[in-house]
């Protein structure tokens, strides 16, 4: 079964959707959209370092994404606004990554595959990495779900409950770095933030509870991956962008349905 490249691609897309769905909900609730985008951009530098050191792309991308996220957390509130820090670090890391790639002599690299994904080239080994990373992200979120939700809704309530919001932020940071690393092969560095945000934003129109929103977001993400791949196969379009296009269409449709339901109620 796994010899069929479309089967492998579908499994990869669904795996990334399951990882991105619950995390994307927290990104939406915490208004961290630009944070996710900045972490993804930093992964370009991780790809370049991984190729230079001849180590796993997953390991290199995750390490640099994690360093980027931790740096932002450390520098926030120390004289610069969060949006300023994210802008400086994200674009700097992207630029340094692209320059570093140009110095890699003797290494064949398809930069477009890393920027926009190459899901149709997913191997069995890639599937193990994607589903292993997705399982780790889901396990982290489930383990700290209540604490993460409390810290997101009200930091003062979190402190009163004996929680440490900074620790919960660190857990989200680690989960985000893992998700960025596993999603590179599927939708690419430039579209990772879209797969995090769009399904979660679409799920807001249907969900009545945070748990329902996470589950609906996972369903929307998986549907986007499957339909996007089918559309790419039929119309011969890029697979990663096609997945994001389907997610965007679902977002618009569900937003209109939600708006109509509110008007009628």
């Amino acid at each position: 079964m796994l010899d069929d490249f479309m089967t492998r691609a579908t499994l990869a897309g669904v795996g990334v959707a399951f990882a991105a769905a619950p995390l994307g909900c927290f990104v939406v609730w915490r208004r961290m959209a630009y944070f996710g985008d900045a972490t993804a951009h930093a992964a370009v530098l991780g790809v370049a370092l991984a190729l230079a050191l001849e180590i796993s792309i997953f390991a290199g991308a995750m390490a640099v994404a994690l360093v980027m996220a931790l740096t932002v957390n450390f520098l926030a509130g120390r004289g610069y606004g969060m949006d300023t820090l994210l802008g400086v670090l994200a674009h700097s890391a992207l630029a340094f990554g692209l320059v570093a790639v140009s110095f890699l002599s003797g290494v064949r690299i398809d930069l477009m595959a890393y920027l926009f994904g190459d899901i149709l080239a997913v191997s069995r080994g890639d599937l193990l990495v994607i589903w292993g990373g997705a399982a780790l992200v889901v396990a982290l979120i489930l383990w700290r779900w209540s604490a993460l939700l409390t810290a997101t809704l009200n930091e003062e309530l979190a402190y009163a409950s004996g929680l440490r919001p900074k620790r919960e932020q660190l857990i989200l940071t680690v989960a985000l770095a893992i998700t960025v690393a596993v999603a590179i092969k599927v939708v690419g560095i430039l579209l990772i933030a879209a797969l995090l945000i769009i399904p979660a934003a679409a799920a807001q129109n249907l969900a009545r509870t945070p748990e329902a929103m996470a589950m609906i977001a996972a369903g929307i993400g998986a549907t986007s991956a499957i339909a996007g791949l089918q559309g790419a196969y039929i119309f011969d379009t890029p697979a990663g962008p096609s997945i994001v296009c389907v997610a965007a269409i679902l977002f618009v449709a569900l937003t209109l349905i939600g708006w109509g339901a509110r008007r009628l109620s």
Side-chain angles (χ1 to χ4, degrees):
M1 180 182 72
L2 291 183
D3 289 332
D4 185 344
F5 75 96
M6 282 297 290
T7 301
R8 293 196 302 271
T10 300
L11 289 173
V14 172
V16 170
F18 286 164
L23 185 59
C25 292
F26 284 102
V27 169
V28 170
W29 293 331
R30 287 173 170 257
R31 303 181 187 276
M32 292 170 58
Y34 199 22
F35 187 89
D37 206 27
T39 306
H41 284 169
V44 176
L45 182 57
V47 170
L49 293 176
L51 292 171
L53 299 174
E54 297 183 352
I55 62 175
S56 165
I57 297 294
F58 170 79
M62 186 174 71
V64 174
L66 185 57
V67 169
M68 167 73 174
L70 292 175
T71 301
V72 172
N73 281 337
F74 176 76
L75 293 177
R78 296 175 185 267
Y80 294 100
M82 178 66 80
D83 58 340
T84 302
L85 279 174
L86 289 172
V88 170
L89 294 175
H91 298 301
S92 298
L94 178 61
F96 276 110
L98 294 175
V99 170
V101 166
S102 70
F103 284 107
L104 295 176
S105 59
V107 177
R108 288 188 73 249
I109 175 173
D110 183 2
L111 193 57
M112 294 295 287
Y114 292 110
L115 293 178
F116 297 103
D118 192 13
I119 190 174
L120 298 180
V122 166
S123 65
R124 294 189 182 195
D126 293 328
L127 278 180
L128 289 175
V129 170
I130 290 170
W131 277 91
L136 183 55
V137 169
V138 172
L140 279 172
I141 298 298
L142 288 176
W143 172 48
R144 302 300 301 170
W145 177 264
S146 180
L148 285 168
L149 198 56
T150 303
T152 297
L153 295 176
N154 192 318
E155 283 198 6
E156 293 183 1
L157 178 61
Y159 281 118
S161 302
L163 300 174
R164 289 185 292 172
K166 288 292 184 183
R167 181 181 63 185
E168 309 310 323
Q169 175 69 33
L170 178 61
I171 291 171
L172 279 180
T173 297
V174 172
L176 183 61
I178 296 171
T179 302
V180 166
V182 300
I184 285 177
K185 193 80 172 181
V186 176
V187 291
I189 290 162
L190 298 183
L191 298 175
I192 290 171
L195 202 59
L196 278 169
I197 298 164
I198 296 177
Q204 278 186 318
N205 295 286
L206 302 177
R208 294 182 178 271
T209 66
E211 292 80 8
M213 180 171 164
M215 294 178 66
I216 294 171
I220 292 172
T223 301
S224 300
I226 296 169
L229 280 170
Q230 291 299 318
Y233 183 78
I234 294 170
F235 299 108
D236 193 25
T237 55
S242 296
I243 292 172
V244 175
C245 285
V246 172
I249 291 171
L250 290 175
F251 169 76
V252 172
L254 292 175
T255 299
L256 292 175
I257 290 171
W259 178 80
R262 286 191 295 271
R263 292 276 293 179
L264 293 174
S265 61

